């Protein structure tokens, strides 16, 4: 298995632009998580899905952030409009609910810079 | 109080040293405790997990949970330059709750 795939790996954009981050989870995993990592705040959970349904989006910072999971093999995180304070590394992770301790497998991350 | 607290370091040690990394947590109901390792510009990877209290050993790594003190530790024996990474503790609640991570540098 190729693991969790994220694209793009790097994104540089200007304030006000729309940004879309993409994630392909590991086949067979029924949970998908979006995280944001910064030096100041560490790794923060933004939202997670179970069987394509959003379960908890309480970590989504503002209405500018939205996430979708149209099918079991694809999810997007969208920021519209983007702001400089959104600059961070965004990780997608997936896991199987069959695991009692829910080991999460992380993608390589998307490094977002908003100018 | 945050649910998981972790000293961010950084921590610098010479090769061969014993390293101790620690976290405290607030909710006594937590049962699964994990350590993830994150190399620079990579995603975190699970290193070890422990259920409830006690110790778990895997090679040079030992994970320890003290539920009475709400304290978890990761010990690295005979540390190697390849251990240089950020170590994040994580606790399983409704979802994984991560500490901020401690950055470790092992010099040869």
């Amino acid at each position: 298995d190729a693991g969790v795939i994220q694209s793009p790996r790097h994104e540089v954009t200007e304030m006000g632009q729309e940004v879309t981050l993409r994630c392909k989870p590991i086949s067979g995993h029924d949970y998908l998580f979006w995280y944001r990592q910064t030096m100041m705040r560490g790794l923060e959970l933004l939202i997670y899905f179970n069987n394509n349904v959003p379960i908890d989006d309480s970590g989504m910072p503002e209405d500018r952030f939205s996430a979708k999971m149209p099918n079991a093999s694809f999810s997007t995180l969208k920021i519209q409009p983007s702001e400089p304070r959104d600059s961070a590394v965004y990780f997608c992770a997936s896991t199987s609910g069959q695991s009692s301790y829910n080991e999460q497998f992380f993608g390589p991350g998307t490094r977002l810079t908003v100018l | 109080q945050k649910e998981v607290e972790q000293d961010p370091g950084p921590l610098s040690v010479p090769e061969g040293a014993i390293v101790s990394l620690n976290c405290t947590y607030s909710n006594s109901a937590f049962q699964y405790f994990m350590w993830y390792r994150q190399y620079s510009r990579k995603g975190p990877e699970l290193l070890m997990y422990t259920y409830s209290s006690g110790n778990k050993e895997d090679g040079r790594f030992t994970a320890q949970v003290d539920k009475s003190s709400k304290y978890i530790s990761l010990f690295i024996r005979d540390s190697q330059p390849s251990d240089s990474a950020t170590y994040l503790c994580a606790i399983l609640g409704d979802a994984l709750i991560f500490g901020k991570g401690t950055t470790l540098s092992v010099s040869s």
Side-chain angles (χ1 to χ4, degrees), chain B residues 18-23 31-36 46-67 71-77 87-90:
Chain B
I18 296 174
V19 176
S20 172
L21 305 169
N22 309 292
C23 288
Q31 294 281 16
Y32 283 97
F33 306 90
M34 280 149 267
W35 287 94
Y36 278 74
L46 181 66
L47 182 63
M48 295 184 72
Y49 80 94
T50 312
Y51 175 72
S52 195
S53 283
N55 292 0
K56 185 172 185 177
E57 190 173 315
D58 184 2
R60 298 183 293 109
F61 298 86
T62 299
Q64 190 173 79
V65 177
D66 182 346
K67 292 196 76 179
Y71 196 82
I72 63 174
S73 302
L74 178 70
F75 299 97
I76 307 174
R77 292 184 302 279
Y87 292 81
L88 301 101
C89 61

Side-chain angles (χ1 to χ4, degrees), chain A residues 35 37 40-41 43 45 48 91 100-104 106-107 111, chain B residues 32 34 36 38 41-44 46 49 92 94-96 98 100:
Chain A
Y35 291 91
Q37 187 175 40
M40 288 295 295
R41 300 175 69 90
L43 194 63
L45 177 64
Y48 76 93
F91 287 102
S100 58
Y101 57 91
N102 295 120
E103 176 182 0
Q104 293 189 15
F106 283 77
R111 186 171 295 271
Chain B
Y32 283 97
M34 280 149 267
Y36 278 74
Q38 183 177 19
R41 297 187 176 268
K42 302 285 188 182
L46 181 66
Y49 80 94
L92 185 61
D94 292 333
L96 268 185
F98 284 88
K100 277 192 174 181

Side-chain angles (χ1 to χ4, degrees), chain A residues 3-4 25-26 29 33 92-96 102-107, chain B residues 36 44-46:
Chain A
V4 176
I26 292 173
H29 282 183
F33 305 82
C92 174
S94 69
T95 191
S96 168
N102 295 120
E103 176 182 0
Q104 293 189 15
F105 295 83
F106 283 77
Chain B
Y36 278 74
E45 295 178 299
L46 181 66

